[in-house]
Amino acid sequence: GIQVEQSPPDLILQEGANSTLRCNFSDSVNNLQWFHQNPWGQLINLFYIPSGTKQNGRLSATTVATERYSLLYISSSQTTDSGVYFCAVFRMEYGNKLVFGAGTILRVKS
Amino acid sequence: GAVVSQHPSRVICKSGTSVKIECRSLDFQATTMFWYRQFPKQSLMLMATSNEGSKATYEQGVEKDKFLINHASLTLSTLTVTSAHPEDSSFYICSATHSGGEQFFGPGTRLTVL
């Protein structure tokens, strides 16, 4: 099956700093999603991005499908950005099953 | 946007009892829903794929008689943990696939078995 690796595993930022989270995957995929899991456990959809670049406010994501990686950029971080960020991918051959990475734990300090 | 709800959000039960968790897609129809389990400080582990009108597909190592799944309509899937034991205590999360292929997740159900 597909392997998904996220880095770094942990990240501590001072409020206002920028960061880049990385997601590498071992095979070609039909799609990729980024999520933020808040302290209450809710997964919030950030991006649905099989390729290219998307931006939403202070967040943006880039997926380079041919090189099997995706990046999530967080600019001007805020304490509310704290939580766990997951990358997940799927291939149609395996149904619509998402394969999750282990996540990046982000702590933003004020 | 696409919204998925789960009920209950939290449940505490005695060992040996059964617990039912509901997952609903509120503003879209979902022929496929998924059930995940998440242990503290770990990623999500897929338990099963729930297909409307047919039997669920379970991942390797997940007991289908222990975790009963019913997908009775295009907006509702239920997970029943039968004869729950303390080791079943966990955070259970469902998701539903939108028509465009994107998955949306419910808020999760925290199960504690005493």
Side-chain angles (χ1 to χ4, degrees):
Chain A
I2 297 176
Q3 306 301 314
V4 181
E5 294 184 357
Q6 290 187 241
S7 60
D10 292 276
L11 185 60
I12 300 174
L13 296 177
Q14 196 64 36
E15 195 170 28
N18 303 326
S19 66
T20 300
L21 281 57
R22 187 177 180 101
C23 172
N24 292 332
F25 39 98
S26 61
D27 203 347
S28 60
V29 298
N30 297 106
N31 230 316
L32 183 146
Q33 292 188 240
W34 281 99
F35 300 93
H36 173 212
Q37 188 170 36
N38 66 22
W40 297 272
Q42 171 79 64
L43 269 83
I44 299 164
N45 288 40
L46 298 178
F47 295 101
Y48 180 59
I49 182 168
S51 63
T53 297
K54 291 186 177 181
Q55 180 151 10
N56 184 2
R58 296 182 295 104
L59 303 181
S60 65
T62 295
T63 297
V64 184
T66 53
E67 297 187 21
R68 300 179 185 171
Y69 73 88
S70 183
L71 302 174
L72 177 69
Y73 305 96
I74 303 174
S75 64
S76 303
S77 59
Q78 300 175 359
T79 56
T80 52
D81 294 331
S82 297
V84 185
Y85 288 80
F86 288 107
C87 164
V89 303
F90 76 80
R91 280 174 65 96
M92 285 186 179
E93 287 89 337
Y94 305 132
N96 281 341
K97 294 193 290 187
L98 283 176
V99 178
F100 278 78
T104 292
I105 301 172
L106 174 65
R107 299 181 183 88
V108 181
K109 293 185 172 182
S110 59
Chain B
V3 179
V4 177
S5 70
Q6 264 183 259
H7 178 80
S9 58
R10 185 181 297 267
V11 58
I12 300 173
C13 68
K14 292 182 179 180
S15 187
T17 60
S18 295
V19 175
K20 180 186 284 189
I21 303 169
E22 292 186 348
C23 177
R24 294 181 185 272
S25 54
L26 297 185
D27 50 1
F28 66 101
Q29 294 183 331
T31 54
T32 305
M33 292 184 172
F34 300 89
W35 287 96
Y36 297 82
R37 186 172 180 176
Q38 187 179 31
F39 292 104
K41 300 187 186 301
Q42 293 188 21
S43 188
L44 279 72
M45 181 188 77
L46 179 66
M47 299 174 65
T49 302
S50 172
N51 300 297
E52 188 270 335
S54 64
K55 290 183 179 180
T57 304
Y58 291 82
E59 294 300 300
Q60 191 171 7
V62 177
E63 299 176 59
K64 60 181 181 181
D65 295 329
K66 173 77 171 173
F67 299 100
L68 300 179
I69 292 173
N70 183 272
H71 195 149
S73 75
L74 288 171
T75 59
L76 173 64
S77 176
T78 60
L79 169 68
T80 301
V81 183
T82 62
S83 188
H85 291 284
E87 58 266 30
D88 298 323
S89 298
S90 192
F91 190 56
Y92 292 87
I93 311 173
C94 72
S95 71
T97 303
H98 196 264
S99 58
E102 187 174 358
Q103 278 194 35
F104 292 87
F105 284 76
T109 297
R110 195 163 301 281
L111 171 64
T112 302
V113 185
L114 302 177

